[in-house]
Amino acid sequence: GAFVKIIDGVEGLLHISDMSWTKNVKNPKELLQSGQQVEVKIISIDIEKKKISLSLKHLLENPWDTVEEKFPIDKIVKGKIKTITSFGVFVELEEGMDALLHRDDLSWIERIEDVPAYFKDKENSEIEVKIIQLDKENKKIKVGLKQLSDDPWQEVKDKYKKFDAVECEITNIDPEMGLQVKLTEKYYTYISLNQIEFGKIEEIKETLSKNFQVGDKVKAVILNMDYKKRDVDLSIKELLKIEERKKIKEYLHDTSEDDKFTLEDMMKSKSDE
């Protein structure tokens, strides 16, 4: 900290923790200089040990006393991006008061692994976020970016269930990942290579861009819904199997004489198509 002369022969200690309510002061020289006149508040006197403790921050209002009124949960605020890290960014809500925007709170669907790249050239720029957590005791605030919009997973969860047949639109074709598709207006997922067509993966990769185009509508079946990971597994291949089995069952159970077909007739008809 810093030693402050009160009168000749009497000094008090202004500890580094008593310099600011909000700033994490690491060196007293960030705020004070030797020989500077400073106004401080006496917070304790130990006559026996001849020690006086002083405070600079106690002359000012503690902003954390009113933080719940200023920044209540769910309030949308604007702040300035101050520090960018691998796990998120710190947003300055007001001078000396920062909030953490964690990478998990950037997007409902997309997993942002490279935060510095995501916020490239955005340092000191303004950003709108929502207050999602407030810990007054430990002086911590968390904000979210994705919380500014509705959770698209909720619509998926309400609308679909396992083994439902769905129609979705191709939004991107990736030879390594497969087909990115739009299941709802705001929810996107991938149909992996091994669930697109029958055949070897390398062959599917080679013909992927020929057989499918961005904007095409494809039908698939939901193989699994992972509520924890907010993920939907789709398969075009399995839907084809289901449809074929259904056709076979219909033919085998059709007792009408006029419309009676054998399995051989059905397969011949299929090859003619």
Side-chain angles (χ1 to χ4, degrees):
F3 286 96
V4 180
K5 185 176 77 172
I6 301 172
I7 57 175
D8 287 341
V10 179
E11 291 182 345
L13 173 63
L14 173 56
H15 194 270
I16 199 167
S17 62
D18 280 302
M19 290 185 178
S20 175
W21 289 112
T22 54
K23 289 182 179 179
N24 182 22
V25 182
K26 296 180 179 179
N27 190 323
K29 291 180 179 180
E30 293 175 22
L31 297 177
L32 305 171
Q33 293 179 352
S34 182
Q36 176 184 345
Q37 292 289 322
V38 63
E39 186 177 28
V40 291
K41 185 174 185 177
I42 296 174
I43 54 174
S44 71
I45 299 177
D46 188 331
I47 296 176
E48 185 178 335
K49 294 182 179 180
K50 297 180 180 179
K51 289 184 178 180
I52 300 176
S53 296
L54 308 173
S55 175
L56 192 60
K57 70 181 186 182
H58 280 87
L59 293 174
L60 307 170
E61 179 186 359
N62 183 358
W64 288 98
D65 288 341
T66 57
V67 70
E68 292 170 326
E69 290 76 34
K70 283 183 180 179
F71 304 110
I73 300 294
D74 291 333
K75 182 177 180 179
I76 297 173
V77 296
K78 288 183 178 180
K80 186 184 291 185
I81 296 174
K82 295 296 290 183
T83 308
I84 301 172
T85 72
S86 60
F87 57 84
V89 299
F90 286 95
V91 180
E92 185 183 60
L93 303 181
E94 62 179 37
E95 187 178 0
M97 185 173 286
D98 296 342
L100 172 63
L101 172 56
H102 195 272
R103 66 183 181 189
D104 290 344
D105 293 305
L106 295 175
S107 171
W108 286 115
I109 302 167
E110 186 181 2
R111 171 69 177 174
I112 311 299
E113 297 290 348
D114 192 345
V115 176
Y118 189 81
F119 285 98
K120 186 179 180 181
D121 301 325
K122 295 290 181 65
E123 196 167 346
N124 293 320
S125 61
E126 192 175 65
I127 187 173
E128 189 173 65
V129 290
K130 179 182 275 192
I131 307 292
I132 58 173
Q133 284 184 28
L134 178 60
D135 185 345
K136 180 179 176 180
E137 184 177 343
N138 293 306
K139 297 180 173 61
K140 291 182 179 180
I141 301 175
K142 278 190 74 176
V143 293
L145 187 62
K146 69 183 185 182
Q147 287 82 0
L148 293 175
S149 60
D150 294 332
D151 182 358
W153 177 252
Q154 188 61 46
E155 183 184 358
V156 173
K157 196 167 65 170
D158 294 341
K159 191 174 181 179
Y160 300 111
K161 61 183 183 299
K162 192 176 180 179
F163 301 131
D164 276 355
V166 297
E167 184 177 73
C168 39
E169 181 183 337
I170 298 174
T171 55
N172 186 40
I173 299 173
D174 188 323
E176 298 302 322
M177 296 279 293
L179 300 175
Q180 185 189 53
V181 296
K182 181 166 70 172
L183 188 57
T184 67
E185 194 59 37
K186 295 182 179 179
Y187 184 85
Y188 298 74
T189 189
Y190 271 91
I191 304 177
S192 59
L193 291 169
N194 65 345
Q195 296 300 329
I196 294 174
E197 295 178 296
F198 296 96
K200 297 180 179 179
I201 294 297
E202 291 305 317
E203 294 174 353
I204 295 172
K205 286 182 180 181
E206 290 176 6
T207 60
L208 196 61
S209 296
K210 295 178 183 178
N211 296 339
F212 299 95
Q213 300 293 323
V214 172
D216 285 353
K217 297 289 181 66
V218 293
K219 290 183 179 180
V221 66
I222 296 175
L223 294 182
N224 188 46
M225 294 183 70
D226 191 324
Y227 294 94
K228 188 175 181 180
K229 294 181 179 178
R230 309 161 72 85
D231 193 26
V232 177
D233 294 329
L234 297 175
S235 175
I236 298 174
K237 189 170 70 174
E238 287 301 319
L239 182 62
L240 292 175
K241 287 183 182 179
I242 292 169
E243 290 178 343
E244 286 300 319
R245 286 197 294 267
K246 186 178 178 183
K247 285 179 182 179
I248 292 172
K249 188 176 180 180
E250 287 174 354
Y251 279 120
L252 294 176
H253 289 78
D254 190 347
T255 56
S256 169
E257 290 297 326
D258 294 334
D259 298 328
K260 195 170 184 179
F261 285 85
T262 65
L263 181 59
E264 183 181 357
D265 294 331
M266 185 199 70
M267 298 306 292
K268 183 180 177 182
S269 174
K270 183 70 179 175
S271 64
D272 290 341
E273 291 177 4

